[in-house]
Amino acid sequence: MQFLDPRTAKSSTKLYAATVGDLKGARLAYVSNGWMSMNKIGKRIEGPLKTKYGVSEVMFYDVPRNMEPPGGLLDDLARDCDAAIVGIAN
Amino acid sequence: MLSSKRIDGPDEMGALFTYMVDLGITDGLPVIPPTEQNVQAMIDHVGLSPDAEVAVIPPGRGVATVEKLAINAVMAGCLPEYFPVVIAAIEALGDPRFGLLGIQTTTNPVSPVLVINGPIRHRIGVNCGRGCMGPGFRANATIGRAVKLALLNIGDCRPGDISKSIHGMPGRFTFCFGELEEDSPWDPFHVDMGFRREQSTVSVFGGQGTTNMMVGFTRPEEILCTVADGMRYYSCTAYLRGTGLPMIVMGPGHAKIFGEAGWDKKRIKQELFKLTAIPLSSIPQGRQITAPVYENWERSRSINLCRDAADIVILVAGGPEPYHLVYIPGWAHPKSVVTQAVIIPQH
């Protein structure tokens, strides 16, 4: 029997930022929503990012746990940083 | 002209079902084969272009066209006259206010809950009374299922894969009912949401399943005291965030008690909001995996399961006996109730 495929094409609208590439000299944002994994790793990640990847500075931001960031925060972040870590797998 | 890929499967029904399961395009239950003829009949009923885009469904960011929705509606067992409700529900779920990405990918057992209001309930036979949450009623069962299949096939939300829900939930197969407006002492929900009573709508909520409450009391204060007792547990995600949208579905028997005593929905919500506060001093102080909103609060404070009494949703549906009420704990995403008008074809 022939039937129609219920699956679909993905939206062509691009939502993704360009890849970062080389981190040497970059200013990196670490955006934590309060999950324990973000808190624990956040305390340790600055050192390896600087020594291993040459990141110049890691800036830490806290965002609400269940809603969008306060107005202006993303604009500040985009202005002050070259890249951002916004999530870590549990 | 329908543009979807044609797939050739076995002719024997059992073998065809197995073939479709292996493709990963079912919810694990048998489906109606979406033949070109079946799908075209669904589309013809609404008179829309097959390639008209209704929404983009996360996390796969699949484009929910009328044709793709029709295919999933056929598979679910919908009649063509149900299809306008499916389209409206998907439109509502695609509204950014609803937060569908989170619901599709969270570890939580949350699922969209569909509530239908207005004249279309009678026109297509949506059960709003006894047994409205199932099983046994085609419109309720298949409209809800069509939406869930669309979230799976168009949103590419594979259970156990990109869907991280730890246990899943039976309501993820289907979860749809109508409000019993005629037996309610109050305005129906869609009127609360700014629509006219004669409009047909579908509202989408993020709900975590049904919690039954046997409430045999006959006075409003006693009923609410009992209901609040069932809602007041701090493991509910809504208490972690304080931003839930809890839903109470009471049968017309309980609603009548409130109505005759002069209670409106606003007063019920205010009373429930007050009664469901939990003193922080009764909750362990240890660190939690996800930091609750109250983590650094004074221990003398209390926590609530929603931001404001107005966030509590009161619906009337179900059988007439004033025995059982249903509590549907809401997910903790803010502003997650969206109501969408159903466009009924004029033919």
PDB file of all heavy atoms in Angstrom, chain B residues 1 5 20-21 38-39 45 56 66 69 78 81 85 116 139 148 153 177-178 181 185 207 209 286-287 295 307-308 321:
ATOM      1  N   MET B   1      -2.163  19.504  -5.635  1.00  0.00           N
ATOM      2  CA  MET B   1      -1.214  18.404  -5.763  1.00  0.00           C
ATOM      3  C   MET B   1      -0.435  18.249  -4.459  1.00  0.00           C
ATOM      4  O   MET B   1       0.162  19.199  -3.961  1.00  0.00           O
ATOM      5  CB  MET B   1      -0.250  18.688  -6.930  1.00  0.00           C
ATOM      6  CG  MET B   1       0.769  17.596  -7.163  1.00  0.00           C
ATOM      7  SD  MET B   1      -0.010  16.078  -7.749  1.00  0.00           S
ATOM      8  CE  MET B   1       1.403  15.013  -7.913  1.00  0.00           C
ATOM      9  N   LYS B   5       6.456  12.850   0.142  1.00  0.00           N
ATOM     10  CA  LYS B   5       7.082  11.636  -0.399  1.00  0.00           C
ATOM     11  C   LYS B   5       6.103  10.467  -0.289  1.00  0.00           C
ATOM     12  O   LYS B   5       5.424  10.310   0.729  1.00  0.00           O
ATOM     13  CB  LYS B   5       8.341  11.343   0.412  1.00  0.00           C
ATOM     14  CG  LYS B   5       9.079  10.093   0.036  1.00  0.00           C
ATOM     15  CD  LYS B   5      10.255   9.914   1.008  1.00  0.00           C
ATOM     16  CE  LYS B   5      10.856   8.526   0.857  1.00  0.00           C
ATOM     17  NZ  LYS B   5      11.825   8.272   1.937  1.00  0.00           N
ATOM     18  N   MET B  20       5.364   0.659   9.557  1.00  0.00           N
ATOM     19  CA  MET B  20       5.298   2.071   9.975  1.00  0.00           C
ATOM     20  C   MET B  20       5.953   2.269  11.342  1.00  0.00           C
ATOM     21  O   MET B  20       6.590   3.303  11.594  1.00  0.00           O
ATOM     22  CB  MET B  20       3.846   2.548   9.972  1.00  0.00           C
ATOM     23  CG  MET B  20       3.231   2.543   8.576  1.00  0.00           C
ATOM     24  SD  MET B  20       1.458   2.897   8.558  1.00  0.00           S
ATOM     25  CE  MET B  20       1.483   4.661   8.336  1.00  0.00           C
ATOM     26  N   VAL B  21       5.807   1.284  12.221  1.00  0.00           N
ATOM     27  CA  VAL B  21       6.496   1.353  13.516  1.00  0.00           C
ATOM     28  C   VAL B  21       8.006   1.404  13.289  1.00  0.00           C
ATOM     29  O   VAL B  21       8.715   2.205  13.898  1.00  0.00           O
ATOM     30  CB  VAL B  21       6.112   0.149  14.408  1.00  0.00           C
ATOM     31  CG1 VAL B  21       7.030   0.086  15.641  1.00  0.00           C
ATOM     32  CG2 VAL B  21       4.656   0.246  14.844  1.00  0.00           C
ATOM     33  N   ASN B  38      -7.225   9.728   1.389  1.00  0.00           N
ATOM     34  CA  ASN B  38      -7.623  10.112   2.753  1.00  0.00           C
ATOM     35  C   ASN B  38      -7.143  11.513   3.100  1.00  0.00           C
ATOM     36  O   ASN B  38      -7.866  12.318   3.696  1.00  0.00           O
ATOM     37  CB  ASN B  38      -7.007   9.142   3.775  1.00  0.00           C
ATOM     38  CG  ASN B  38      -7.644   7.782   3.743  1.00  0.00           C
ATOM     39  OD1 ASN B  38      -8.747   7.627   3.229  1.00  0.00           O
ATOM     40  ND2 ASN B  38      -6.954   6.786   4.293  1.00  0.00           N
ATOM     41  N   VAL B  39      -5.899  11.776   2.737  1.00  0.00           N
ATOM     42  CA  VAL B  39      -5.288  13.060   3.084  1.00  0.00           C
ATOM     43  C   VAL B  39      -5.956  14.191   2.297  1.00  0.00           C
ATOM     44  O   VAL B  39      -6.255  15.269   2.840  1.00  0.00           O
ATOM     45  CB  VAL B  39      -3.765  13.014   2.832  1.00  0.00           C
ATOM     46  CG1 VAL B  39      -3.135  14.396   3.024  1.00  0.00           C
ATOM     47  CG2 VAL B  39      -3.105  11.996   3.759  1.00  0.00           C
ATOM     48  N   HIS B  45     -11.709  19.463   3.143  1.00  0.00           N
ATOM     49  CA  HIS B  45     -12.703  19.929   4.128  1.00  0.00           C
ATOM     50  C   HIS B  45     -12.403  21.348   4.595  1.00  0.00           C
ATOM     51  O   HIS B  45     -13.320  22.143   4.805  1.00  0.00           O
ATOM     52  CB  HIS B  45     -12.760  18.978   5.326  1.00  0.00           C
ATOM     53  CG  HIS B  45     -13.754  19.423   6.355  1.00  0.00           C
ATOM     54  ND1 HIS B  45     -15.115  19.220   6.201  1.00  0.00           N
ATOM     55  CD2 HIS B  45     -13.600  20.105   7.521  1.00  0.00           C
ATOM     56  CE1 HIS B  45     -15.746  19.741   7.240  1.00  0.00           C
ATOM     57  NE2 HIS B  45     -14.854  20.284   8.052  1.00  0.00           N
ATOM     58  N   VAL B  56       5.972  26.289  12.989  1.00  0.00           N
ATOM     59  CA  VAL B  56       7.245  25.556  12.966  1.00  0.00           C
ATOM     60  C   VAL B  56       7.359  24.844  14.312  1.00  0.00           C
ATOM     61  O   VAL B  56       7.236  25.460  15.367  1.00  0.00           O
ATOM     62  CB  VAL B  56       8.442  26.497  12.747  1.00  0.00           C
ATOM     63  CG1 VAL B  56       9.759  25.735  12.869  1.00  0.00           C
ATOM     64  CG2 VAL B  56       8.337  27.160  11.373  1.00  0.00           C
ATOM     65  N   VAL B  66      -0.336  22.451   6.114  1.00  0.00           N
ATOM     66  CA  VAL B  66      -1.677  21.853   6.148  1.00  0.00           C
ATOM     67  C   VAL B  66      -1.604  20.389   5.688  1.00  0.00           C
ATOM     68  O   VAL B  66      -2.244  19.507   6.273  1.00  0.00           O
ATOM     69  CB  VAL B  66      -2.643  22.674   5.269  1.00  0.00           C
ATOM     70  CG1 VAL B  66      -3.949  21.923   5.032  1.00  0.00           C
ATOM     71  CG2 VAL B  66      -2.912  24.030   5.921  1.00  0.00           C
ATOM     72  N   LEU B  69      -0.038  18.194   8.427  1.00  0.00           N
ATOM     73  CA  LEU B  69      -0.992  18.037   9.538  1.00  0.00           C
ATOM     74  C   LEU B  69      -2.121  17.095   9.134  1.00  0.00           C
ATOM     75  O   LEU B  69      -2.588  16.278   9.946  1.00  0.00           O
ATOM     76  CB  LEU B  69      -1.541  19.400   9.962  1.00  0.00           C
ATOM     77  CG  LEU B  69      -0.520  20.325  10.634  1.00  0.00           C
ATOM     78  CD1 LEU B  69      -1.143  21.697  10.903  1.00  0.00           C
ATOM     79  CD2 LEU B  69      -0.020  19.711  11.936  1.00  0.00           C
ATOM     80  N   CYS B  78      -8.710  10.839  12.739  1.00  0.00           N
ATOM     81  CA  CYS B  78      -9.622  11.993  12.708  1.00  0.00           C
ATOM     82  C   CYS B  78     -10.589  11.904  11.531  1.00  0.00           C
ATOM     83  O   CYS B  78     -10.226  11.445  10.438  1.00  0.00           O
ATOM     84  CB  CYS B  78      -8.829  13.286  12.554  1.00  0.00           C
ATOM     85  SG  CYS B  78      -7.985  13.862  14.028  1.00  0.00           S
ATOM     86  N   GLU B  81     -14.015  16.639   9.621  1.00  0.00           N
ATOM     87  CA  GLU B  81     -14.597  17.778  10.357  1.00  0.00           C
ATOM     88  C   GLU B  81     -13.839  18.106  11.646  1.00  0.00           C
ATOM     89  O   GLU B  81     -14.064  19.143  12.261  1.00  0.00           O
ATOM     90  CB  GLU B  81     -16.080  17.549  10.649  1.00  0.00           C
ATOM     91  CG  GLU B  81     -16.430  16.225  11.267  1.00  0.00           C
ATOM     92  CD  GLU B  81     -16.875  15.194  10.220  1.00  0.00           C
ATOM     93  OE1 GLU B  81     -16.214  15.103   9.160  1.00  0.00           O
ATOM     94  OE2 GLU B  81     -17.878  14.499  10.479  1.00  0.00           O
ATOM     95  N   VAL B  85      -9.882  21.908  14.153  1.00  0.00           N
ATOM     96  CA  VAL B  85      -9.431  21.988  15.556  1.00  0.00           C
ATOM     97  C   VAL B  85      -7.956  21.604  15.652  1.00  0.00           C
ATOM     98  O   VAL B  85      -7.191  22.217  16.411  1.00  0.00           O
ATOM     99  CB  VAL B  85     -10.291  21.072  16.463  1.00  0.00           C
ATOM    100  CG1 VAL B  85      -9.856  21.221  17.921  1.00  0.00           C
ATOM    101  CG2 VAL B  85     -11.771  21.396  16.313  1.00  0.00           C
ATOM    102  N   ILE B 116     -11.371  22.299  24.379  1.00  0.00           N
ATOM    103  CA  ILE B 116     -12.165  22.868  23.287  1.00  0.00           C
ATOM    104  C   ILE B 116     -13.392  23.580  23.861  1.00  0.00           C
ATOM    105  O   ILE B 116     -14.072  23.059  24.739  1.00  0.00           O
ATOM    106  CB  ILE B 116     -12.597  21.758  22.305  1.00  0.00           C
ATOM    107  CG1 ILE B 116     -11.347  21.042  21.766  1.00  0.00           C
ATOM    108  CG2 ILE B 116     -13.417  22.332  21.159  1.00  0.00           C
ATOM    109  CD1 ILE B 116     -11.658  19.803  20.938  1.00  0.00           C
ATOM    110  N   ALA B 139     -13.772  12.007  18.825  1.00  0.00           N
ATOM    111  CA  ALA B 139     -13.256  13.367  18.601  1.00  0.00           C
ATOM    112  C   ALA B 139     -12.171  13.692  19.623  1.00  0.00           C
ATOM    113  O   ALA B 139     -11.077  14.166  19.272  1.00  0.00           O
ATOM    114  CB  ALA B 139     -14.389  14.388  18.664  1.00  0.00           C
ATOM    115  N   LYS B 148      -0.436  15.073  18.920  1.00  0.00           N
ATOM    116  CA  LYS B 148       0.759  14.404  19.464  1.00  0.00           C
ATOM    117  C   LYS B 148       1.580  13.743  18.355  1.00  0.00           C
ATOM    118  O   LYS B 148       2.805  13.747  18.387  1.00  0.00           O
ATOM    119  CB  LYS B 148       0.374  13.367  20.529  1.00  0.00           C
ATOM    120  CG  LYS B 148      -0.447  13.922  21.678  1.00  0.00           C
ATOM    121  CD  LYS B 148       0.231  15.092  22.362  1.00  0.00           C
ATOM    122  CE  LYS B 148      -0.681  15.792  23.341  1.00  0.00           C
ATOM    123  NZ  LYS B 148      -0.831  15.140  24.611  1.00  0.00           N
ATOM    124  N   ASN B 153       6.199  13.616  14.551  1.00  0.00           N
ATOM    125  CA  ASN B 153       6.671  13.475  13.168  1.00  0.00           C
ATOM    126  C   ASN B 153       7.151  14.781  12.540  1.00  0.00           C
ATOM    127  O   ASN B 153       8.078  14.776  11.741  1.00  0.00           O
ATOM    128  CB  ASN B 153       5.551  12.879  12.302  1.00  0.00           C
ATOM    129  CG  ASN B 153       5.363  11.399  12.575  1.00  0.00           C
ATOM    130  OD1 ASN B 153       6.332  10.678  12.777  1.00  0.00           O
ATOM    131  ND2 ASN B 153       4.118  10.952  12.595  1.00  0.00           N
ATOM    132  N   PHE B 177     -10.194  17.397  25.755  1.00  0.00           N
ATOM    133  CA  PHE B 177     -11.596  17.338  26.177  1.00  0.00           C
ATOM    134  C   PHE B 177     -12.235  18.706  25.965  1.00  0.00           C
ATOM    135  O   PHE B 177     -11.558  19.693  25.688  1.00  0.00           O
ATOM    136  CB  PHE B 177     -11.725  16.874  27.633  1.00  0.00           C
ATOM    137  CG  PHE B 177     -11.053  17.771  28.651  1.00  0.00           C
ATOM    138  CD1 PHE B 177     -11.777  18.736  29.335  1.00  0.00           C
ATOM    139  CD2 PHE B 177      -9.696  17.648  28.923  1.00  0.00           C
ATOM    140  CE1 PHE B 177     -11.159  19.569  30.276  1.00  0.00           C
ATOM    141  CE2 PHE B 177      -9.073  18.461  29.859  1.00  0.00           C
ATOM    142  CZ  PHE B 177      -9.804  19.425  30.532  1.00  0.00           C
ATOM    143  N   GLY B 178     -13.551  18.736  26.083  1.00  0.00           N
ATOM    144  CA  GLY B 178     -14.262  19.995  25.929  1.00  0.00           C
ATOM    145  C   GLY B 178     -14.772  20.498  27.268  1.00  0.00           C
ATOM    146  O   GLY B 178     -14.918  19.722  28.222  1.00  0.00           O
ATOM    147  N   GLU B 181     -19.790  23.858  29.048  1.00  0.00           N
ATOM    148  CA  GLU B 181     -20.200  25.246  29.255  1.00  0.00           C
ATOM    149  C   GLU B 181     -21.644  25.363  29.716  1.00  0.00           C
ATOM    150  O   GLU B 181     -22.001  26.220  30.535  1.00  0.00           O
ATOM    151  CB  GLU B 181     -20.021  26.023  27.947  1.00  0.00           C
ATOM    152  CG  GLU B 181     -18.599  26.040  27.434  1.00  0.00           C
ATOM    153  CD  GLU B 181     -18.505  26.647  26.044  1.00  0.00           C
ATOM    154  OE1 GLU B 181     -19.451  27.341  25.613  1.00  0.00           O
ATOM    155  OE2 GLU B 181     -17.476  26.425  25.375  1.00  0.00           O
ATOM    156  N   PRO B 185     -21.906  27.445  36.044  1.00  0.00           N
ATOM    157  CA  PRO B 185     -22.515  28.694  36.523  1.00  0.00           C
ATOM    158  C   PRO B 185     -21.729  29.926  36.091  1.00  0.00           C
ATOM    159  O   PRO B 185     -22.153  31.048  36.371  1.00  0.00           O
ATOM    160  CB  PRO B 185     -22.480  28.526  38.046  1.00  0.00           C
ATOM    161  CG  PRO B 185     -21.345  27.595  38.312  1.00  0.00           C
ATOM    162  CD  PRO B 185     -21.218  26.701  37.107  1.00  0.00           C
ATOM    163  N   GLY B 207       0.375  20.411  30.846  1.00  0.00           N
ATOM    164  CA  GLY B 207      -0.127  19.694  32.024  1.00  0.00           C
ATOM    165  C   GLY B 207       0.672  18.438  32.313  1.00  0.00           C
ATOM    166  O   GLY B 207       1.246  17.823  31.413  1.00  0.00           O
ATOM    167  N   GLY B 209      -0.469  15.564  33.760  1.00  0.00           N
ATOM    168  CA  GLY B 209      -1.274  14.376  34.035  1.00  0.00           C
ATOM    169  C   GLY B 209      -2.427  14.713  34.956  1.00  0.00           C
ATOM    170  O   GLY B 209      -2.627  15.866  35.328  1.00  0.00           O
ATOM    171  N   GLY B 286      18.613  21.233  52.150  1.00  0.00           N
ATOM    172  CA  GLY B 286      19.749  20.795  51.339  1.00  0.00           C
ATOM    173  C   GLY B 286      19.707  21.327  49.918  1.00  0.00           C
ATOM    174  O   GLY B 286      18.661  21.769  49.427  1.00  0.00           O
ATOM    175  N   ARG B 287      20.873  21.236  49.254  1.00  0.00           N
ATOM    176  CA  ARG B 287      20.959  21.673  47.864  1.00  0.00           C
ATOM    177  C   ARG B 287      20.161  20.742  46.961  1.00  0.00           C
ATOM    178  O   ARG B 287      20.133  19.540  47.173  1.00  0.00           O
ATOM    179  CB  ARG B 287      22.427  21.658  47.397  1.00  0.00           C
ATOM    180  CG  ARG B 287      23.269  22.814  47.889  1.00  0.00           C
ATOM    181  CD  ARG B 287      22.862  24.153  47.298  1.00  0.00           C
ATOM    182  NE  ARG B 287      22.694  24.154  45.867  1.00  0.00           N
ATOM    183  CZ  ARG B 287      23.681  24.338  44.995  1.00  0.00           C
ATOM    184  NH1 ARG B 287      24.903  24.511  45.417  1.00  0.00           N
ATOM    185  NH2 ARG B 287      23.438  24.361  43.694  1.00  0.00           N
ATOM    186  N   GLU B 295      15.696  29.300  46.873  1.00  0.00           N
ATOM    187  CA  GLU B 295      16.937  28.796  47.467  1.00  0.00           C
ATOM    188  C   GLU B 295      17.528  29.736  48.512  1.00  0.00           C
ATOM    189  O   GLU B 295      17.988  29.302  49.563  1.00  0.00           O
ATOM    190  CB  GLU B 295      17.969  28.547  46.371  1.00  0.00           C
ATOM    191  CG  GLU B 295      19.237  27.865  46.880  1.00  0.00           C
ATOM    192  CD  GLU B 295      20.194  27.559  45.749  1.00  0.00           C
ATOM    193  OE1 GLU B 295      20.342  28.390  44.842  1.00  0.00           O
ATOM    194  OE2 GLU B 295      20.783  26.462  45.751  1.00  0.00           O
ATOM    195  N   ARG B 307       2.317  32.467  40.310  1.00  0.00           N
ATOM    196  CA  ARG B 307       2.683  33.828  40.690  1.00  0.00           C
ATOM    197  C   ARG B 307       1.533  34.595  41.316  1.00  0.00           C
ATOM    198  O   ARG B 307       1.721  35.457  42.158  1.00  0.00           O
ATOM    199  CB  ARG B 307       3.170  34.596  39.451  1.00  0.00           C
ATOM    200  CG  ARG B 307       4.519  34.164  38.969  1.00  0.00           C
ATOM    201  CD  ARG B 307       4.796  34.703  37.600  1.00  0.00           C
ATOM    202  NE  ARG B 307       3.841  34.156  36.635  1.00  0.00           N
ATOM    203  CZ  ARG B 307       3.910  34.315  35.344  1.00  0.00           C
ATOM    204  NH1 ARG B 307       4.851  35.057  34.828  1.00  0.00           N
ATOM    205  NH2 ARG B 307       3.015  33.758  34.542  1.00  0.00           N
ATOM    206  N   ASP B 308       0.316  34.247  40.858  1.00  0.00           N
ATOM    207  CA  ASP B 308      -0.836  35.038  41.251  1.00  0.00           C
ATOM    208  C   ASP B 308      -2.066  34.141  41.227  1.00  0.00           C
ATOM    209  O   ASP B 308      -2.119  33.167  40.456  1.00  0.00           O
ATOM    210  CB  ASP B 308      -0.995  36.195  40.242  1.00  0.00           C
ATOM    211  CG  ASP B 308      -2.059  37.167  40.662  1.00  0.00           C
ATOM    212  OD1 ASP B 308      -1.723  38.086  41.431  1.00  0.00           O
ATOM    213  OD2 ASP B 308      -3.222  37.004  40.252  1.00  0.00           O
ATOM    214  N   GLU B 321     -22.002  14.023  39.148  1.00  0.00           N
ATOM    215  CA  GLU B 321     -21.945  13.775  40.589  1.00  0.00           C
ATOM    216  C   GLU B 321     -20.865  14.624  41.262  1.00  0.00           C
ATOM    217  O   GLU B 321     -19.742  14.681  40.769  1.00  0.00           O
ATOM    218  CB  GLU B 321     -21.646  12.291  40.868  1.00  0.00           C
ATOM    219  CG  GLU B 321     -22.658  11.325  40.291  1.00  0.00           C
ATOM    220  CD  GLU B 321     -22.363  10.956  38.833  1.00  0.00           C
ATOM    221  OE1 GLU B 321     -21.482  11.601  38.221  1.00  0.00           O
ATOM    222  OE2 GLU B 321     -23.033  10.050  38.322  1.00  0.00           O
TER     223      GLU B 321
END
